[in-house]
Coordinates of all heavy atoms in Angstrom, one line a residue:
S1 N 19.0 66.0 37.1 CA 18.2 67.2 37.2 C 18.9 68.4 36.5 O 18.3 69.4 36.2 CB 17.7 67.5 38.6 OG 18.9 67.9 39.4
S2 N 20.2 68.2 36.3 CA 21.0 69.3 35.7 C 20.5 69.6 34.3 O 20.8 70.7 33.8 CB 22.5 69.0 35.8 OG 22.8 67.9 35.0
C3 N 19.9 68.6 33.7 CA 19.4 68.9 32.3 C 18.4 70.0 32.3 O 18.4 70.8 31.4 CB 18.8 67.6 31.7 SG 20.0 66.3 31.4
R4 N 17.5 70.0 33.3 CA 16.6 71.1 33.4 C 17.3 72.4 33.6 O 16.9 73.5 33.0 CB 15.6 70.8 34.5 CG 14.5 69.8 34.2 CD 13.5 69.7 35.2 NE 14.0 69.4 36.6 CZ 14.2 68.2 37.1 NH1 14.1 67.2 36.3 NH2 14.7 68.1 38.3
D5 N 18.3 72.4 34.5 CA 19.1 73.7 34.8 C 19.7 74.2 33.5 O 19.7 75.3 33.2 CB 20.2 73.4 35.8 CG 19.6 73.1 37.2 OD1 18.4 73.5 37.4 OD2 20.3 72.6 38.0
L6 N 20.3 73.2 32.7 CA 21.0 73.6 31.5 C 20.0 74.2 30.5 O 20.3 75.2 29.9 CB 21.7 72.4 30.9 CG 23.0 72.0 31.6 CD1 23.4 70.6 31.2 CD2 24.1 73.0 31.4
A7 N 18.8 73.6 30.4 CA 17.8 74.2 29.5 C 17.4 75.6 29.9 O 17.2 76.4 29.0 CB 16.6 73.2 29.4
D8 N 17.3 75.8 31.2 CA 17.0 77.2 31.7 C 18.1 78.2 31.3 O 17.8 79.3 30.9 CB 16.8 77.2 33.2 CG 15.5 76.4 33.6 OD1 14.7 76.2 32.8 OD2 15.5 76.1 34.8
Y9 N 19.3 77.8 31.4 CA 20.4 78.7 31.1 C 20.5 79.0 29.6 O 20.8 80.1 29.2 CB 21.8 78.1 31.5 CG 22.0 78.2 33.0 CD1 21.9 77.1 33.8 CD2 22.1 79.4 33.6 CE1 22.1 77.2 35.2 CE2 22.3 79.5 35.0 CZ 22.3 78.4 35.8 OH 22.4 78.5 37.1
I10 N 20.2 78.0 28.8 CA 20.2 78.2 27.3 C 19.1 79.2 26.9 O 19.3 80.0 25.9 CB 20.1 76.9 26.6 CG1 21.3 76.0 26.9 CG2 19.8 77.1 25.1 CD1 21.1 74.6 26.5
Q11 N 18.0 79.3 27.7 CA 16.9 80.2 27.3 C 17.1 81.7 27.8 O 16.3 82.5 27.5 CB 15.6 79.7 27.9 CG 15.3 78.3 27.3 CD 15.2 78.3 25.8 OE1 14.6 79.2 25.2 NE2 15.8 77.2 25.2
K12 N 18.2 81.9 28.6 CA 18.4 83.3 29.1 C 18.4 84.3 28.0 O 19.1 84.1 27.0 CB 19.7 83.4 29.9 CG 19.7 82.5 31.1 CD 19.1 83.1 32.3 CE 19.3 82.2 33.5 NZ 18.8 82.7 34.7
K13 N 17.6 85.3 28.1 CA 17.5 86.4 27.1 C 18.6 87.4 27.2 O 19.0 88.0 26.2 CB 16.1 87.1 27.2 CG 15.0 86.2 27.0 CD 14.8 85.8 25.6 CE 13.5 85.0 25.4 NZ 13.6 83.9 24.5
D14 N 19.1 87.7 28.4 CA 20.1 88.7 28.6 C 21.6 88.3 28.5 O 22.5 89.0 28.8 CB 19.9 89.4 29.9 CG 20.0 88.5 31.1 OD1 19.8 87.3 30.9 OD2 20.3 89.0 32.2
W15 N 21.8 87.0 28.0 CA 23.1 86.5 27.8 C 23.5 86.6 26.4 O 22.7 86.4 25.5 CB 23.2 85.1 28.2 CG 23.1 84.8 29.7 CD1 22.8 85.7 30.7 CD2 23.4 83.6 30.3 NE1 22.8 85.1 31.9 CE2 23.2 83.8 31.7 CE3 23.8 82.4 29.9 CZ2 23.4 82.8 32.7 CZ3 24.0 81.3 30.8 CH2 23.8 81.6 32.2
S16 N 24.8 86.9 26.1 CA 25.2 86.8 24.7 C 25.2 85.4 24.2 O 25.3 84.4 25.0 CB 26.7 87.4 24.6 OG 27.6 86.4 24.9
R17 N 25.0 85.3 22.9 CA 24.9 83.9 22.3 C 26.1 83.1 22.6 O 26.0 81.9 22.9 CB 24.7 84.1 20.8 CG 24.6 82.9 20.0 CD 24.4 83.2 18.6 NE 25.6 83.8 18.0 CZ 26.0 83.5 16.8 NH1 25.4 82.6 16.0 NH2 27.1 84.0 16.4
I18 N 27.3 83.7 22.6 CA 28.5 83.0 22.8 C 28.6 82.4 24.2 O 29.0 81.3 24.4 CB 29.7 83.9 22.5 CG1 29.8 84.2 21.1 CG2 31.0 83.3 23.0 CD1 29.8 83.0 20.1
L19 N 28.1 83.1 25.2 CA 28.1 82.6 26.6 C 27.1 81.4 26.8 O 27.2 80.7 27.7 CB 27.9 83.7 27.6 CG 29.0 84.6 27.7 CD1 28.7 85.8 28.6 CD2 30.3 83.9 28.2
K20 N 26.1 81.3 25.9 CA 25.2 80.2 26.0 C 25.8 78.9 25.4 O 25.3 77.8 25.7 CB 23.9 80.5 25.2 CG 23.1 81.6 25.9 CD 21.8 81.9 25.0 CE 21.0 83.0 25.6 NZ 19.8 83.3 24.8
L21 N 26.7 79.0 24.5 CA 27.3 77.8 23.8 C 27.9 76.8 24.7 O 27.7 75.6 24.4 CB 28.2 78.3 22.7 CG 27.5 79.0 21.5 CD1 28.5 79.5 20.5 CD2 26.4 78.2 20.9
P22 N 28.7 77.1 25.7 CA 29.1 76.0 26.6 C 28.0 75.3 27.3 O 28.1 74.0 27.4 CB 30.0 76.8 27.6 CG 30.4 78.0 27.0 CD 29.2 78.4 26.1
F23 N 27.0 76.0 27.7 CA 25.8 75.3 28.3 C 25.1 74.4 27.3 O 24.7 73.3 27.6 CB 24.8 76.4 28.8 CG 25.3 77.1 30.0 CD1 26.0 78.3 29.8 CD2 25.2 76.6 31.3 CE1 26.5 79.0 30.9 CE2 25.7 77.3 32.4 CZ 26.3 78.5 32.2
L24 N 24.9 74.9 26.0 CA 24.3 74.1 25.0 C 25.1 72.9 24.7 O 24.5 71.8 24.5 CB 24.1 75.0 23.7 CG 23.4 74.3 22.5 CD1 22.0 73.9 22.9 CD2 23.4 75.3 21.3
A25 N 26.4 73.0 24.6 CA 27.3 71.8 24.3 C 27.1 70.8 25.4 O 27.0 69.6 25.2 CB 28.7 72.2 24.1
L26 N 27.2 71.3 26.7 CA 27.0 70.4 27.8 C 25.7 69.7 27.8 O 25.6 68.5 28.0 CB 27.3 71.2 29.1 CG 27.3 70.3 30.4 CD1 28.4 69.3 30.4 CD2 27.5 71.3 31.6
E27 N 24.6 70.5 27.6 CA 23.3 69.9 27.6 C 23.1 68.9 26.5 O 22.6 67.8 26.7 CB 22.3 71.1 27.4 CG 20.8 70.6 27.5 CD 20.1 70.4 26.2 OE1 20.7 70.8 25.1 OE2 19.0 69.8 26.2
D28 N 23.7 69.2 25.3 CA 23.6 68.2 24.2 C 24.4 67.0 24.4 O 24.0 65.9 24.0 CB 24.0 68.9 22.9 CG 23.5 68.2 21.6 OD1 22.4 67.6 21.6 OD2 24.3 68.2 20.6
T29 N 25.5 67.1 25.1 CA 26.4 65.9 25.4 C 25.8 65.1 26.5 O 25.7 63.8 26.3 CB 27.8 66.4 25.7 OG1 28.3 67.2 24.7 CG2 28.7 65.2 26.0
V30 N 25.3 65.7 27.5 CA 24.9 64.9 28.7 C 23.4 64.5 28.6 O 23.1 63.4 28.9 CB 25.0 65.8 30.0 CG1 24.4 65.1 31.2 CG2 26.5 66.0 30.3
C31 N 22.6 65.4 28.0 CA 21.1 65.1 28.0 C 20.6 64.8 26.6 O 19.5 64.3 26.5 CB 20.4 66.3 28.6 SG 21.1 66.9 30.1
G32 N 21.3 65.1 25.6 CA 20.8 65.0 24.3 C 21.5 63.9 23.5 O 22.1 62.9 24.1
K33 N 21.6 64.0 22.2 CA 22.2 63.0 21.4 C 23.3 63.6 20.5 O 23.6 63.0 19.4 CB 21.1 62.4 20.5 CG 20.0 61.7 21.2 CD 18.9 61.3 20.3 CE 17.8 60.6 21.2 NZ 16.6 60.4 20.4
K34 N 23.9 64.7 20.9 CA 25.0 65.3 20.2 C 24.5 65.8 18.8 O 25.3 65.8 17.9 CB 26.2 64.4 20.2 CG 26.7 64.0 21.6 CD 27.8 63.0 21.4 CE 28.2 62.5 22.8 NZ 27.4 61.4 23.3
E35 N 23.3 66.1 18.7 CA 22.7 66.5 17.4 C 22.9 68.0 17.2 O 22.8 68.5 16.0 CB 21.3 66.2 17.3 CG 21.0 64.7 17.4 CD 19.5 64.4 17.6 OE1 18.7 65.3 18.0 OE2 19.1 63.3 17.3
K36 N 23.3 68.8 18.2 CA 23.5 70.2 18.0 C 24.9 70.7 17.8 O 25.2 71.9 17.7 CB 22.9 70.9 19.3 CG 21.4 70.7 19.5 CD 20.9 71.2 20.8 CE 19.5 70.8 21.0 NZ 19.1 71.0 22.4
Y37 N 25.8 69.7 17.7 CA 27.2 70.1 17.6 C 27.5 70.9 16.3 O 28.3 71.8 16.4 CB 28.1 68.8 17.5 CG 28.4 68.2 18.9 CD1 27.7 68.5 20.0 CD2 29.4 67.2 19.0 CE1 27.9 67.9 21.2 CE2 29.7 66.6 20.2 CZ 28.9 67.0 21.3 OH 29.2 66.4 22.5
A38 N 26.9 70.6 15.2 CA 27.1 71.3 14.0 C 26.6 72.8 14.2 O 27.3 73.7 13.7 CB 26.3 70.7 12.8
R39 N 25.5 73.0 14.8 CA 25.0 74.3 15.1 C 25.9 75.1 16.0 O 26.2 76.3 15.8 CB 23.6 74.2 15.7 CG 22.9 75.6 15.7 CD 21.4 75.4 16.1 NE 21.4 75.4 17.5 CZ 20.4 75.0 18.3 NH1 19.3 74.5 17.7 NH2 20.4 75.0 19.6
I40 N 26.5 74.4 17.0 CA 27.4 75.0 17.9 C 28.7 75.5 17.2 O 29.2 76.6 17.4 CB 27.7 74.1 19.1 CG1 26.4 73.9 20.0 CG2 28.9 74.6 20.0 CD1 26.5 72.7 20.9

């Protein structure tokens, strides 16, 4: 269920982009297919 939590954190509007990147990397590694690594 942490995948849903991670997706929620990535969508936060009041966070700097840099602070979202650890969440995006974790979400892409655990829940995704590591397709966002280049973007990160």
